[in-house]
Amino acid sequence: MDWLHMPPLAALRAFSAFAEAGNVVQAGAALNVSHAAISQQLRALEGHLGASLLDRSGRALELTADGARLARALQLGFDAIEAAVREISAAGAARPLHVTCTPMFAAHWLMPRLAEFQAAHPEIDLVLDPRGEIVELKQGGIDLAIRYGDGSWPGMEARMLLQSPMVVIAADSLLRGRKVVAPEELLELPWLEELGTTEASRWLQSRGVTDSLRGPRTLLPGNLLMQAVRSGQGVAVAVQAFVAEDLQAGRLCALFTEGEGRGYYVVTRAGVLRPETRKFSAWLSRHAKG
């Protein structure tokens, strides 16, 4: 395709709209421009081609033989473009919106609010994929992820949703009055971790603790983790926002708190997003502010 010598698309659209409508007024209405703009584009197209596309000798504009030939070609081309656009749009709208997040976030923040989104957008089918590990976002796969961290995921667009530090928590029934001063003192205690994560070892390493856990380590789904912590079955690392009521009520103790600049982020691929993804992202933002 010799794009450099092709007429401007705006002129071709104006000519095709005129050929379909039969006059410049209706063509302008179809393209949401003035009839004067249509006339200007028609003359520009004739100048570009060096040929008369319209017969202006009568009271109304008529297509010349060259004009009729171009009109037929443009109709075929624009019809094919329209069909392809409709097929692509329909395929995207038919595919469910795929969202991934941690089970903890799903249970404590998303699920109590999700019915409102579904009521506002019944046309959007949603697949919610709660898992602890980070999932790669690929074209035609997962549309949006809600991740905890500092917002640094190369190649991704990340926007803060819920800012909250991490806390190391335990129940009094586990500590039994024990005062924990240094992270090393936690190595003897049992630890609880959400499936798909390594929060205990990562947190200990961040505090310079290189020894392995000597107490038992239990992996379990995020929706069961807090129940186990409250019953005194182990120490866990959690997001402060999700245990604030337990801390205030004294059901749990915050042994260590850190990561003030961290939180949950809405993460998407860079580039154009599906309309469904934009709607869900905007809904998340409204709820985070509220």
Side-chain angles (χ1 to χ4, degrees):
M1 180 69 72
D2 186 4
W3 293 108
L4 294 178
H5 293 89
M6 284 288 289
L9 179 59
L12 294 175
R13 289 175 68 237
F15 179 77
S16 187
F18 168 80
E20 181 179 353
N23 64 73
V24 293
V25 175
Q26 292 182 21
L31 296 181
N32 196 30
V33 298
S34 67
H35 65 86
I38 296 294
S39 297
Q40 183 179 8
Q41 291 286 7
L42 296 179
R43 292 189 180 279
L45 181 60
E46 289 179 313
H48 185 96
L49 297 176
S52 296
L53 303 175
L54 301 169
D55 182 355
R56 296 177 173 82
S57 61
R59 296 183 58 185
L61 295 176
E62 298 287 344
L63 294 177
T64 64
D66 286 339
R69 179 185 176 189
L70 180 59
R72 288 192 297 270
L74 289 175
Q75 183 176 9
L76 290 172
F78 283 129
D79 283 349
I81 293 172
E82 182 183 25
V85 168
R86 285 181 177 177
E87 289 176 6
I88 294 171
S89 298
R95 185 169 66 85
L97 176 65
H98 202 150
V99 176
T100 183
C101 62
T102 65
M104 185 77 73
F105 183 88
H108 290 271
W109 196 94
L110 187 56
M111 292 308 299
R113 298 168 171 82
L114 194 57
E116 180 187 306
F117 176 81
Q118 294 170 321
H121 300 284
E123 77 284 1
I124 299 179
D125 293 330
L126 182 66
V127 175
L128 183 60
D129 186 7
R131 59 175 75 186
E133 65 271 20
I134 291 180
V135 184
E136 184 179 357
L137 304 187
K138 294 182 178 180
Q139 187 71 32
I142 293 176
D143 298 289
L144 181 147
I146 302 171
R147 297 177 179 173
Y148 187 88
D150 59 4
S152 299
W153 292 284
M156 297 287 111
E157 299 286 345
R159 174 175 49 79
M160 175 67 80
L161 177 67
L162 176 65
Q163 186 169 357
S164 180
M166 282 284 193
V167 289
V168 179
I169 53 174
D172 281 334
S173 58
L174 175 70
L175 299 175
R176 297 178 182 179
R178 178 177 181 176
K179 300 298 182 182
V180 177
V181 178
E184 293 83 354
E185 299 175 26
L186 298 175
L187 293 175
E188 305 289 342
L189 296 174
W191 276 79
L192 303 171
E193 285 184 329
E194 188 174 4
L195 280 169
T197 69
T198 55
E199 296 292 356
S201 56
R202 283 196 299 169
W203 181 80
L204 288 167
Q205 289 172 6
S206 72
R207 299 301 297 265
V209 181
T210 57
D211 293 342
S212 300
L213 290 173
R214 292 185 283 273
R217 185 167 70 104
T218 303
L219 303 178
L220 66 170
N223 58 335
L224 301 179
L225 179 67
M226 291 310 305
Q227 180 180 344
V229 177
R230 293 185 188 107
S231 63
Q233 296 182 37
V235 180
V237 179
V239 178
Q240 188 180 60
F242 297 156
V243 295
E245 291 185 6
D246 289 291
L247 296 175
Q248 292 173 1
R251 290 187 291 268
L252 296 176
C253 302
L255 306 177
F256 299 94
T257 302
E258 52 196 279
E260 293 295 337
R262 299 169 67 85
Y264 281 101
Y265 285 78
V266 177
V267 182
T268 56
R269 293 183 303 275
V272 179
L273 301 179
R274 297 172 58 198
E276 296 81 4
T277 307
R278 294 197 300 271
K279 290 178 182 178
F280 190 74
S281 179
W283 174 81
L284 287 171
S285 295
R286 288 195 298 272
H287 267 281
K289 294 176 181 177

